[in-house]
Amino acid sequence: MTKEPRPVEELSIWADAQAMLTKARKDGVRTAWDRLEAQTPHCTFCDQGLTCKNCVMGPCRISTKEGSKRRRGVCGADGDVVVARNFGRFVAGGSAGHSDHGRDLIEVLEAIVEGHTDAYRITDEAKLLRLAAEVGIAVDGRPVMDVARDFVDACYADFGSRRKAVMFTARVPEKRRALWEGLGITPRGVDREIAEMMHRTHMGCDNDAPNTLLHAARTALSDGWGGSMIGTELSDIIFGTPTPRASRVNLGVLRKDQVNILVHGHNPVVSEMVLAAAREPQMIERAKALGATGINVAGLCCTGNELLARQGVPMAGNHLMTELAIVTGAVEAVVVDYQCIMPSMVQAAGCYHTRFIDTAAKARFTGAIHFDIHPHNALEQAREIVGIAVDAFAERDPNRVEIPGEPVDILTGFCNESVLAALGGSLNPLLEQVKAGNIRGFAAVVGCNNPKFQQDSCNVGLIRELIKRDILVLVTGCVTTAVGKDGLLVPEAASRAGAGLSAVCKALGVPPVLHFGSCVDNSRIIHLCALIANALGVDIADLPVAASAPEWYSEKAAAIGMYAVASGISTHLGLPPHITGSKAVTDLALNGLEGIVGAAFMVEPDPVKAAALIDARISAKRKALGLPR
């Protein structure tokens, strides 16, 4: 007997998603929710982190039951070791992803310096010079390209194995750096820490669970204060530092009368060129010749966030909207780089006239149209891609087009520089509001969608509760689309915040939720915490701050959570990672880390209860600082 599908209202809180889920069923397109249903129930051993495939004496499944013959794997590793190993590799995978993103930006800056590209340029010279001086590079009286060349070398060095600490750890409060040094977790180099994690988790190496987890922290820190921070700062240098600007969000940003191109992935290197090509007059004329009124570029996930923050390009959706955007029947091309791209999008595109185009050798998709974009050929390749999309417009079937809803206005483009500029160049006005209790604290709510949740119910539910409690929220990544659709990324949303936060937001003309960029830009948030801590002369762990990834799913999110906690920021997760098979590892994550690094993880799927946990944390930190709770 065939099981009836769940009502679409149970799958997502959004009307545009519900409409496209209904259309997907009618059009015969399977989605992530369908595939989750087919994969349920999950393997209990895998879910708890108790499976090991690190050698071919196995695979092993570890039982935690007393008297079981499977309490140890073939090599003798127990459940604690296996869970710690698996989590360490999980964090290493996430750190590799975001840090490799950073490496790609170094390669682009290097191509600019060496004269190997005309498509890219240094847009924010002032930031380049400021950062170069910050890391000890001589700046005064030198040509910009000479400074840039030295900065490229400094960035590459952060990926190696000869440094004692990655360069941006100089931003970290002294007390925190001393703590890392005492624990032996100062991040030395991105590639070094990732390689060492793979070595430690090889059979016959690190078989002490807490020791493995400490190196997981070190690996994550090399990403947060190394690879990711480099990625963020170099994106600003090359493409421009974000400034506040208006945009729009949801599937309503697609246009029936235009060629629609969606950019998806995480790295702005490709999407910036696609946008540039789509804006060229000759390409627009080519589209008009086929009956379109123009070319519309919109974003998905973090590549979308990159263009949103710097260019004001509208956002069509977040992770769980990516398949549904294609289901509208109005998308001529999806152009992807890497990370968080569902392979199923190729099949979904095949159900319509949509071209699915990949652009990176490290992220090929079977069935896609392949391009290999590098700095020297980026713009000409982007022109060819946009041309493919324009030509596809002629094949669009108007009878299959359904664009649900109207776009929602948002305000985007916040970053540390724009916040400081709005405050007159000093954090003091902001800190005075914190001391007075109008802003009780800060929460970074970041990350993904997971079909195990009703889409965005936890993301939006948590943030609604936090701003009611006078907690200013910073968002990155897929959460951005969620709160934008909920109307929380406009100044008028100040009326939905508590009295204190509302008054501050109205005075500044800003929303109670600030968009801080893509997921790699979580590095902006830990840097902001360091700036505040240094201004107050305290450690990051002393601040009334917290982080949350309510609907997370990826290795990168685990790395982000790990570097946040290791930096002193307690972090809420909507569901646990695959560690629950080990009581020792779980206890360390939820409790023990507090005594080691001054912060820990909190796990709570209910957004109201999660808000209460974060609120209690912020209240305790305010009390310890002698501030009214």
Side-chain angles (χ1 to χ4, degrees):
M1 186 174 178
T2 305
K3 186 178 179 180
E4 285 293 319
R6 293 169 60 195
V8 295
E9 293 79 10
E10 293 182 9
L11 307 183
S12 174
I13 66 173
W14 305 120
D16 61 343
Q18 293 167 8
M20 290 303 97
L21 282 163
T22 300
K23 187 173 187 288
R25 289 172 179 177
K26 181 184 71 175
D27 291 356
V29 179
R30 289 177 63 80
T31 66
W33 290 274
D34 299 317
R35 294 188 296 274
L36 174 62
E37 185 72 23
Q39 291 289 344
T40 306
H42 298 296
C43 167
T44 302
F45 291 98
C46 295
D47 207 33
Q48 295 179 349
L50 288 168
T51 55
C52 183
K53 298 180 290 182
N54 289 12
C55 78
V56 293
M57 291 192 291
C60 296
R61 295 179 297 168
I62 311 300
S63 172
T64 57
K65 293 180 180 178
E66 286 293 336
S68 172
K69 294 181 179 179
R70 292 209 305 247
R71 286 183 65 83
R72 292 182 180 271
V74 176
C75 74
D78 63 14
D80 296 336
V81 167
V82 168
V83 167
R85 276 188 201 160
N86 289 338
F87 184 68
R89 288 193 168 205
F90 199 70
V91 169
S95 299
H98 266 162
S99 292
D100 208 34
H101 173 158
R103 193 193 326 258
D104 285 344
L105 270 300
I106 304 174
E107 291 175 355
V108 173
L109 183 59
E110 182 179 40
I112 294 170
V113 168
E114 299 298 334
H116 296 155
T117 179
D118 296 323
Y120 303 98
R121 63 187 179 88
I122 295 172
T123 298
D124 193 338
E125 289 187 3
K127 180 157 189 175
L128 168 65
L129 297 176
R130 187 175 71 252
L131 289 175
E134 181 184 334
V135 300
I137 295 170
V139 170
D140 293 343
R142 301 183 66 202
V144 168
M145 285 302 175
D146 287 353
V147 174
R149 183 175 288 105
D150 288 348
F151 193 60
V152 165
D153 290 341
C155 290
Y156 272 132
D158 263 7
F159 283 78
S161 59
R162 299 186 67 180
R163 282 188 167 168
K164 293 182 179 179
V166 296
M167 60 185 176
F168 285 131
T169 56
R171 294 173 164 180
V172 179
E174 186 177 346
K175 183 178 178 181
R176 176 72 18 186
R177 281 183 277 140
L179 185 149
W180 290 348
E181 187 66 28
L183 292 171
I185 61 171
T186 300
R188 300 160 295 182
V190 174
D191 294 345
R192 177 176 186 173
E193 307 306 1
I194 292 169
E196 185 170 316
M197 176 54 76
M198 300 307 290
H199 181 192
R200 282 171 178 255
T201 54
H202 187 280
M203 184 269 160
C205 291
D206 200 351
N207 284 280
D208 180 80
N211 198 49
T212 302
L213 293 175
L214 280 174
H215 191 71
R218 191 176 211 174
T219 303
L221 288 169
S222 75
D223 172 33
W225 295 95
S228 281
M229 199 163 283
I230 287 171
T232 292
E233 302 291 32
L234 291 191
S235 290
D236 286 354
I237 289 169
I238 297 167
F239 303 115
T241 302
T243 55
R245 65 185 67 226
S247 190
R248 300 179 302 168
V249 67
N250 78 13
L251 289 181
V253 305
L254 298 175
R255 297 285 300 272
K256 284 187 178 181
D257 61 338
Q258 295 193 359
V259 174
N260 290 302
I261 301 173
L262 294 178
V263 290
H264 179 21
H266 279 72
N267 196 325
V269 169
V270 171
S271 54
E272 285 276 356
M273 290 300 104
V274 170
L275 180 64
R279 288 176 170 174
E280 291 181 339
Q282 63 269 31
M283 201 64 74
I284 295 171
E285 288 304 313
R286 182 171 167 181
K288 289 180 177 179
L290 291 174
T293 62
I295 302 173
N296 179 41
V297 176
L300 295 168
C301 290
C302 280
T303 285
N305 273 282
E306 297 274 2
L307 289 186
L308 172 67
R310 294 189 178 87
Q311 306 283 0
V313 168
M315 284 289 290
N318 54 18
H319 179 59
L320 285 180
M321 298 300 297
T322 56
E323 295 169 304
L324 303 185
I326 294 172
V327 175
T328 64
V331 176
E332 274 61 59
V334 180
V335 186
V336 304
D337 45 81
Y338 48 61
Q339 297 174 18
C340 298
I341 303 155
M342 296 191 204
S344 60
M345 293 182 72
V346 179
Q347 287 74 54
C351 295
Y352 304 92
H353 71 295
T354 306
R355 281 23 176 196
F356 188 91
I357 301 168
D358 65 33
T359 61
K362 67 185 76 174
R364 286 286 183 252
F365 291 79
T366 301
I369 301 170
H370 300 311
F371 281 80
D372 200 6
I373 292 186
H374 298 282
H376 72 275
N377 68 0
L379 187 54
E380 60 189 63
Q381 294 273 280
R383 287 173 178 144
E384 189 172 343
I385 288 169
V386 173
I388 290 171
V390 169
D391 291 344
F393 181 80
E395 298 178 25
R396 185 196 290 183
D397 182 353
N399 295 318
R400 300 191 74 197
V401 173
E402 181 183 340
I403 300 174
E406 294 296 323
V408 178
D409 291 335
I410 61 175
L411 183 65
T412 179
F414 291 93
C415 64
N416 295 340
E417 287 88 347
S418 64
V419 168
L420 281 167
L423 295 172
S426 169
L427 286 171
N428 287 336
L430 180 66
L431 299 181
E432 289 304 315
Q433 296 298 327
V434 174
K435 291 173 183 177
N438 293 322
I439 298 175
R440 295 182 51 253
F442 305 90
V445 184
V446 307
C448 325
N449 294 137
N450 189 321
K452 291 181 177 179
F453 293 97
Q454 183 189 28
Q455 184 200 6
D456 287 328
S457 58
C458 293
N459 290 331
V460 170
L462 175 64
I463 292 170
R464 288 175 181 171
E465 288 295 319
L466 291 174
I467 64 172
K468 287 178 186 175
R469 299 164 188 252
D470 292 322
I471 297 169
L472 180 65
V473 175
L474 312 179
V475 294
T476 63
C478 284
V479 175
T480 305
T481 301
V483 292
K485 290 166 76 167
D486 197 47
L488 290 172
L489 290 184
V490 288
E492 292 78 7
S495 62
R496 297 169 64 179
L501 178 58
S502 178
V504 174
C505 291
K506 287 177 180 177
L508 293 174
V510 299
V513 182
L514 303 181
H515 173 226
F516 252 58
S518 67
C519 281
V520 76
D521 294 330
N522 288 314
S523 61
R524 295 193 199 277
I525 297 174
I526 57 173
H527 183 205
L528 179 59
C529 288
L531 291 172
I532 294 172
N534 284 326
L536 295 174
V538 300
D539 185 19
I540 294 174
D542 299 323
L543 299 176
V545 301
S548 173
E551 299 180 26
W552 76 285
Y553 80 89
S554 75
E555 293 171 317
K556 295 179 301 171
I560 292 165
M562 192 75 250
Y563 74 61
V565 169
S567 297
I569 305 167
S570 280
T571 299
H572 160 257
L573 304 173
L575 72 171
H578 300 310
I579 63 171
T580 56
S582 167
K583 185 177 184 302
V585 173
T586 302
D587 285 348
L588 182 62
L590 298 179
N591 304 303
L593 286 173
E594 183 72 44
I596 299 171
V597 296
F601 288 99
M602 304 171 273
V603 177
E604 175 52 63
D606 183 277
V608 177
K609 292 178 180 177
L613 290 173
I614 291 172
D615 192 351
R617 177 79 182 181
I618 285 172
S619 292
K621 293 301 177 182
R622 289 185 64 85
K623 181 179 179 181
L625 289 169
L627 302 176
R629 284 189 282 177

